[in-house]
Amino acid sequence: MAPATLLRPVNPEDRLPEKSSVVPIAFEDIESARVRVVYDAWLRWRGARLMPTRNEIALRDLGNAAASISLVHAMPQEDDYEFRIIGDAHIQAYGVNFQGRRMSDVLAYSPRHGKILKASYDMVRAMRRPYAFRGIIGRDAPKATFIRFETCYLPLGSSPDDVDYVMNAAFYTPRGGRWD
C-alpha cells in the first residue's frame, strides 16, 4: 500500500520557483481560451493591415473574453497612458481598478508592477506589433493573488506609424483555484 503522502494531490503552489519569471511566447502557443479569443478577434479586425484602429474593435465580438481585456490610450506628450477599460479578470488579479486613471498612478501605487507594465506598453508602441508572454509568480512575490498568467499586448493605431491604443488580454491562475 502506498504511503499517504503519495496519495495527496499535487498543489501547484508547492512547486513555485524562488524567483518570478516571464518569457515571450509565440501566438500559436497561447493556452488560455480567453486570450486566444481576443487575439483571433484582433487578427480579424486588422485584416491585411498592420493593426486595426480603436474604432474598428467591437468588444461584443469577444463574448466572456471581454472580462480579460484592458485598453489603454497612449499619451506620448506626457509619457503616460490612460486606462480606458479594465476587465474583471484584471481587477480580481490585482485587487484594484485603475479605469480612468493613468499609468503614472500605477507607478505610484506599485512601482515594480508599474515599471514592467509600462515597459510592455512602450515596447508595443515602439515596435508596432503584438507580443505574448507567459509568467510564473515565484516565492519572491508572496502577496500576489495568482501564480501563473498568460497575456498578450495588441496595438491599435490611427495609421501604420502611430499606435494610439494598446489592448491587453490576460488570464490568471489564482492561488488556490480558478477564477471564472
Side-chain angles (χ1 to χ4, degrees), residues 1 3 10 19 48 52 55 63 88 120 123 127 138 144 154 161 178:
M1 188 137 177
V10 175
K19 291 198 172 259
N55 293 336
D88 288 343
S120 298
M123 180 176 64
M127 303 306 290
L154 308 165
D161 296 325
R178 285 188 84 103

Side-chain angles (χ1 to χ4, degrees), residues 3-20:
T5 57
L6 294 178
L7 299 176
R8 184 175 63 99
V10 175
N11 180 350
E13 293 180 47
D14 292 342
R15 295 185 175 169
L16 290 179
E18 285 302 314
K19 291 198 172 259
S20 300

Side-chain angles (χ1 to χ4, degrees), residues 85-145:
I85 297 172
I86 302 289
D88 288 343
H90 299 284
I91 296 168
Q92 286 179 345
Y94 294 103
V96 65
N97 183 350
F98 277 95
Q99 188 165 323
R101 308 285 304 269
R102 292 185 173 194
M103 179 62 69
S104 51
D105 296 320
V106 175
L107 286 161
Y109 178 78
S110 178
R112 181 180 175 192
H113 174 67
K115 184 178 178 181
I116 294 166
L117 189 58
K118 185 175 184 310
S120 298
Y121 290 136
D122 287 346
M123 180 176 64
V124 171
R125 284 192 52 240
M127 303 306 290
R128 299 184 320 269
R129 65 177 290 260
Y131 289 91
F133 301 95
R134 185 174 295 132
I136 299 291
I137 306 303
R139 297 183 193 284
D140 60 333
K143 293 182 181 179
T145 61

Side-chain angles (χ1 to χ4, degrees), residues 1 9 17-19 22 27 34 42 59-60 75-76 87 94 96 102 111 119 134 138 146 153 156 164 169 180:
M1 188 137 177
E18 285 302 314
K19 291 198 172 259
V22 178
F27 282 97
R34 289 184 179 200
W42 181 84
L59 299 183
R60 69 183 168 275
M75 305 170 71
Y94 294 103
V96 65
R102 292 185 173 194
R134 185 174 295 132
F146 55 94
Y153 294 87
L156 306 171
D164 303 317
D180 294 331

